Amino acid sequence: MKILFNNNNTFGLTVFRIDIIRHFLECGHEVILVCPVRMVDDLKKMPPGAKMIPIYANRASTGIIDNLSYLKQLYKIFKKERPDYVFNYTIKPNIYGAFAAKLLGIPNSCMMAGLGYAFSHNDMSSRIARALYRLSMKCTQHIMVLNESNYNTLQEKRLCKKEKILWLKGGEGVNISNYPFYDNDAQEITFVFIARMIAEKGYRIFVEAAKEVKKQYSQVKFQAIGTFADGSPDASSNITKEEVENDVKQGYIEYLGTFSNMLEVYSRPGSVITIPSYYSEGLNRSLMEACSCGKPIITTSIYGCKETVVDGVNGYLIEPKSVPALVDAIKRYIELSREQRRQMSIESRKLAESRFDIKKVIAVYDDIIAHAKGS
């Protein structure tokens, strides 16, 4: 079969879906990847054998002309390539990819990896996006979601028929062979924030907690890792470089930039991955990867984060937007014995093996393709 993946960036394909793409290629399917190519180096990360088709898309634009142009490009590509199945990801590919596929009679699925800005806000562009989503969902065979909240929201808002929804209970999964267990035992403790630099990911809460904890435990380290937001629909939520530089200058945190290989981070002993997010997550990938590598987790009790923690077993769940709750969880971890910390690390790996193994996600994709082939 010829299978087409439609995404709004190469990162989504080369990180989140690369194991699925690789699997389809190994099964002998022809794979086409459609997305904007912003960096030449992104092409080097693509699995050998996959065909790359670049497309122009301004993901932050809500203009009619830009969106119609994007739809027209997708239609032309789908018509020329004639894929047997299309998988769409992120809001614009979900909407316009579904429209283009429907016009050509091509079966397709979309993934809602978190409901995002369109569902968390109520401005004009958000309302339009929701209306378009409702229309596009009539044009697709399946809507994949990554947590229970999103599953329920689609039904409560009657955005699509219940039988269309596929809930991936382990999120998009991780290849646990590629994210092995590391011994986390160490005398020194480091709390590590990993996320895009936007307020909703909990950066400022992390920094405020670091200030408080350092008053009592000056030796404990706090580190932040992540890219600065680019093209966010809500620019007011962006964390600026100047703000981070000031936090570093004040001695609250260390900013480590970004890593092309996150195993450089997860392999470091003594690390606790700390993401106090209140963002509309699908299922946070950094937390899943950290679990697989045996890292204790401190995160919030929101959907998309809480699935990675059994409270008190492999980490702690805290109330969203609460600095005192985060400070309390951090102090509780610091005061554990080294053996208790080691056990938390072991439990994180166990959770990843039982819940987040990519093999479970591959089975869902195989089932979708098998049914499409038989229809």
Side-chain angles (χ1 to χ4, degrees):
M1 292 183 73
K2 182 184 285 191
I3 303 169
L4 188 148
F5 289 77
N6 177 32
N7 210 93
N8 76 350
N9 59 70
T10 50
F11 183 83
L13 296 175
T14 59
V15 176
F16 296 157
R17 287 122 218 163
I18 194 163
D19 290 296
I20 305 297
I21 293 167
R22 194 173 281 131
H23 168 74
F24 280 151
L25 288 169
E26 290 171 354
C27 289
H29 297 299
E30 185 178 349
V31 175
I32 301 168
L33 310 176
V34 176
C35 63
V37 178
R38 296 185 176 91
M39 297 170 57
V40 175
D41 285 347
D42 287 343
L43 296 173
K44 299 175 183 177
K45 302 171 186 174
M46 297 296 177
K51 180 179 179 180
M52 178 70 195
I53 300 179
I55 189 171
Y56 172 77
N58 183 348
R59 74 183 186 93
S61 173
T62 57
I64 294 175
I65 294 176
D66 279 346
N67 290 334
L68 287 178
S69 172
Y70 180 59
L71 173 60
K72 184 178 179 180
Q73 289 178 80
L74 288 175
Y75 180 85
K76 285 183 176 180
I77 292 170
F78 291 5
K79 185 176 182 180
K80 179 180 179 182
E81 296 295 332
R82 284 288 172 181
D84 298 294
Y85 206 91
V86 172
F87 289 101
N88 298 301
Y89 305 88
T90 68
I91 185 166
K92 283 195 176 183
N94 281 346
I95 293 170
Y96 298 107
F99 287 158
K102 178 68 174 179
L103 288 169
L104 294 164
I106 301 169
N108 67 98
S109 292
C110 72
M111 176 177 284
M112 298 184 73
L115 297 182
Y117 186 88
F119 289 84
S120 61
H121 292 69
N122 201 39
D123 55 23
M124 181 61 72
S125 62
S126 299
R127 292 197 294 272
I128 292 172
R130 289 197 295 273
L132 288 171
Y133 244 133
R134 185 174 280 106
L135 288 173
S136 69
M137 286 181 184
K138 295 179 180 179
C139 304
T140 190
Q141 277 62 50
H142 302 288
I143 298 96
M144 292 185 277
V145 298
L146 306 182
N147 65 56
E148 186 178 5
S149 176
N150 293 354
Y151 178 81
N152 292 336
T153 297
L154 290 185
Q155 295 180 72
E156 290 166 3
K157 293 185 179 295
R158 298 181 180 179
L159 291 171
C160 66
K161 295 179 179 179
K162 181 179 179 180
E163 55 267 26
K164 283 189 174 188
I165 308 173
L166 294 177
W167 174 13
L168 304 182
K169 295 187 178 181
E172 292 197 71
V174 292
N175 189 327
I176 60 175
S177 297
N178 292 343
Y179 291 89
F181 177 82
Y182 293 96
D183 185 355
N184 203 45
D185 183 52
Q187 184 68 42
E188 188 176 77
I189 301 172
T190 304
F191 295 91
V192 185
F193 172 86
I194 305 171
R196 281 187 300 131
M197 292 297 171
I198 58 175
E200 290 84 353
K201 289 287 187 177
Y203 171 79
R204 293 189 178 112
I205 293 167
F206 178 77
V207 173
E208 289 300 316
K211 292 181 191 178
E212 291 300 312
V213 172
K214 279 182 169 290
K215 293 176 183 177
Q216 183 177 351
Y217 301 96
S218 58
Q219 78 282 8
V220 172
K221 290 184 178 181
F222 291 83
Q223 297 176 338
I225 297 169
T227 58
F228 290 93
D230 176 27
S232 171
D234 184 10
S236 64
S237 72
N238 293 351
I239 305 297
T240 65
K241 292 181 181 179
E242 290 75 19
E243 180 177 347
V244 174
E245 288 170 356
N246 184 63
D247 292 334
V248 172
K249 185 177 180 180
Q250 296 295 325
Y252 305 138
I253 65 164
E254 299 172 56
Y255 175 63
L256 305 185
T258 59
F259 289 79
S260 57
N261 181 5
M262 286 302 296
L263 291 180
E264 294 178 37
V265 177
Y266 301 137
S267 62
R268 297 173 182 175
S271 299
V272 181
I273 306 306
T274 307
I275 306 179
S277 174
Y278 51 97
Y279 183 76
S280 179
E281 304 276 359
L283 211 160
N284 189 290
R285 185 173 183 85
S286 294
L287 293 176
M288 289 192 291
E289 292 173 350
C291 271
S292 186
C293 293
K295 296 298 165 187
I297 306 293
I298 298 177
T299 191
T300 55
S301 56
I302 65 167
Y303 286 103
C305 290
K306 70 177 186 177
E307 293 86 348
T308 62
V309 173
V310 178
D311 194 32
V313 177
N314 73 312
Y316 299 111
L317 291 175
I318 64 168
E319 179 186 348
K321 301 183 181 181
S322 174
V323 173
L326 180 54
V327 169
D328 178 66
I330 289 171
K331 287 183 176 181
R332 286 169 65 191
Y333 184 84
I334 293 171
E335 291 163 6
L336 293 176
S337 68
R338 286 180 72 166
E339 180 54 35
Q340 287 173 316
R341 294 175 200 158
R342 182 175 179 275
Q343 190 59 41
M344 274 197 170
S345 181
I346 292 170
E347 293 296 334
S348 271
R349 176 64 183 188
K350 288 181 180 178
L351 184 63
E353 290 173 345
S354 66
R355 188 175 292 178
F356 305 129
D357 193 334
I358 190 65
K359 292 177 183 177
K360 296 180 180 181
V361 182
I362 288 173
V364 174
Y365 275 81
D366 280 344
D367 190 55
I368 291 172
I369 293 301
H371 279 82
K373 191 184 295 185
S375 61

